[in-house]
Amino acid sequence: MSRLTDMDTISPFDRMSPKKKSHGSAIDIHVEYDRKDSATSGTTSASSPRMSPCSVESGSPYLLRKVSGDRRSVRPGAPSEPNEYNFNYHKRGLFLIINNKNFHPSTGQVTREGTNVDAERLEERFQDLGFEVRRYNDVASAKITKIMYDASEYDHSDCDCFGCAILSHGIEGRIYTTDGILPLEMLIVPFKGERCPTLVGKPKLFFLQACRGITYEASIDLTDSVSDRSGYSEDFESGVHPLRKIPVEADFLFSYSTVPGCYSWRNNQDGSWFIQALCIVLENYGPKMELLHMLTQVNRIVTYEFESCTDDEFTENIKQMPCIVSMLTRYVYFRPKKPDIRD
């Protein structure tokens, strides 16, 4: 049972409906052909003819294909497993932590006690996964905008992916800085395809510990559960085309601490429920479990293992439900880098 004395929330009079989004556009992405190691086989595999998107034959680019060759000799930038993102680059990538604890009185926000514990744990966990972690404390509006645009202009060509964690107060669609409030979209736009070409086709991962409204999460008693263990595993041959168009919104993942409209809970000594659970899962499964599977574990831990314990009857025994919004197009694995990867 976790005892709470503070919440990442704001006044109900500051709520604002999210704005409608314009239609997405597409960008071109170059995909390399799969090639067998010439030292092993002396041959090169050719791409298959272009198939119709509605095709269900084994030549469809949407189906899995077999992989051959010595995995240890994969060159940086070469295609990885067909259903996984290519994580064969030299660097894991940049990971930003925006940690806002103190706020100007004009914002009406209280100090976020316990957030430094969250930031320290995140820094350790993502360093363990191979990221170059940059932590920023108590960031104002102008500075956070500059941080995001500078990061988008960084050369990510030799990186697997990009990540960012934002720890602050908030409401739906907006994040508090130390001196104001910004639309979340403003912090995401710099990393979209047309603005950040070196991250095209690579995962952009955002973890957001902040309230998304003023509503408490309702709960019910669980009396029974159903487990669906159905599934299948099949391998298919397929070709890879040298040029494809993908939406600029592709390859983003947003892992929210709570569902839209609800509070996000934080303990003054132990940190937030969401970040506690995330760091536990990353520590135990980070190098071996697929990312969305890990985030499902986080959902379960927060859902079943945490409950508010306060002196206020109105906020006693309140639950929380994290929320995953994924535009990823492949699986994400943070496997350790192999020392013998070569150019």
Side-chain angles (χ1 to χ4, degrees):
M1 192 77 69
S2 179
R3 185 171 187 84
L4 303 182
T5 57
D6 191 17
M7 293 173 288
D8 290 332
T9 184
I10 65 161
S11 165
F13 299 104
D14 288 333
R15 299 189 70 188
M16 180 180 76
S17 301
K19 295 181 180 179
K20 292 183 178 179
K21 302 222 174 152
S22 59
H23 294 292
S25 56
I27 58 172
D28 292 338
I29 175 173
H30 292 271
V31 183
E32 297 188 47
Y33 290 110
D34 279 299
R35 300 182 186 276
K36 296 180 182 177
D37 192 318
S38 58
T40 303
S41 64
T43 60
T44 302
S45 61
S47 63
S48 61
R50 187 172 184 87
M51 302 294 295
S52 167
C54 62
S55 171
V56 295
E57 297 179 4
S58 61
S60 169
Y62 302 106
L63 301 180
L64 304 184
R65 66 184 184 280
K66 295 177 182 177
V67 176
S68 60
D70 185 357
R71 288 180 57 83
R72 294 180 304 167
S73 63
V74 176
R75 68 188 186 281
S80 184
E81 295 286 353
N83 55 336
E84 296 178 18
Y85 281 104
N86 173 22
F87 272 32
N88 291 321
Y89 295 95
H90 281 117
K91 302 175 184 177
R92 180 71 77 210
L94 190 63
F95 193 94
L96 307 180
I97 299 176
I98 307 298
N99 177 42
N100 288 341
K101 177 181 179 180
N102 303 295
F103 298 82
H104 191 275
S106 63
T107 65
Q109 303 305 304
V110 299
T111 301
R112 298 182 64 252
E113 300 291 348
T115 189
N116 288 343
V117 176
D118 285 344
E120 290 165 8
R121 286 175 175 165
L122 284 173
E123 188 170 2
E124 183 177 356
R125 294 283 71 81
F126 281 96
Q127 283 178 343
D128 288 346
L129 294 177
F131 283 91
E132 177 189 341
V133 180
R134 299 179 186 178
R135 176 178 164 185
Y136 302 90
N137 295 321
D138 292 339
V139 186
S141 296
K143 184 177 179 181
I144 193 173
T145 304
K146 184 178 187 303
I147 289 170
M148 291 302 189
Y149 276 90
D150 286 349
S152 71
E153 294 171 1
Y154 178 83
D155 185 2
H156 302 271
S157 299
D158 204 23
C159 299
D160 296 335
C161 61
F162 168 81
C164 177
I166 300 177
L167 318 175
S168 191
H169 288 299
I171 54 174
E172 179 60 20
R174 293 184 289 174
I175 295 292
Y176 270 91
T177 63
T178 58
D179 62 350
I181 189 168
L182 290 175
L184 178 60
E185 180 69 12
M186 183 180 293
L187 307 181
I188 306 304
V189 163
F191 300 97
K192 293 187 177 181
E194 74 279 13
R195 296 175 180 265
C196 189
T198 59
L199 278 177
V200 170
K202 299 179 180 182
K204 278 79 69 174
L205 314 172
F206 290 84
F207 303 86
L208 301 134
Q209 168 55 44
C211 282
R212 303 179 70 186
I214 60 170
T215 304
Y216 294 119
E217 182 72 24
S219 62
I220 59 172
D221 293 330
L222 182 65
T223 58
D224 195 9
S225 62
V226 177
S227 176
D228 183 3
R229 300 179 182 272
S230 62
Y232 66 92
S233 176
E234 295 182 82
D235 288 334
F236 294 91
E237 293 278 358
S238 69
V240 179
H241 305 302
L243 181 65
R244 295 180 185 172
K245 288 186 179 295
I246 62 171
V248 296
E249 307 284 349
D251 306 305
F252 278 87
L253 176 130
F254 301 95
S255 183
Y256 293 94
S257 61
T258 189
V259 294
C262 287
Y263 282 119
S264 184
W265 292 84
R266 171 173 37 81
N267 184 282
N268 284 359
Q269 284 76 44
D270 299 328
S272 64
W273 297 357
F274 173 66
I275 299 299
Q276 286 183 61
L278 175 63
C279 290
I280 288 171
V281 172
L282 289 176
E283 182 175 9
N284 286 280
Y285 303 105
K288 53 191 176 184
M289 184 180 286
E290 200 277 326
L291 178 58
L292 286 177
H293 291 180
M294 286 193 282
L295 294 178
T296 302
Q297 296 264 24
V298 171
N299 281 4
R300 186 168 73 249
I301 291 173
V302 174
T303 300
Y304 290 102
E305 303 301 328
F306 288 90
E307 185 176 87
S308 65
C309 179
T310 71
D311 296 327
D312 185 351
E313 182 179 354
F314 184 65
T315 58
E316 182 78 3
N317 301 324
I318 299 298
K319 305 293 287 185
Q320 180 176 320
M321 182 70 243
C323 178
I324 308 165
V325 178
S326 175
M327 283 79 83
L328 297 178
T329 57
R330 296 174 187 263
Y331 302 137
V332 174
Y333 283 95
F334 299 113
R335 296 188 181 95
K337 294 290 185 183
K338 293 181 173 63
D340 58 344
I341 287 182
R342 64 173 185 264
D343 292 321

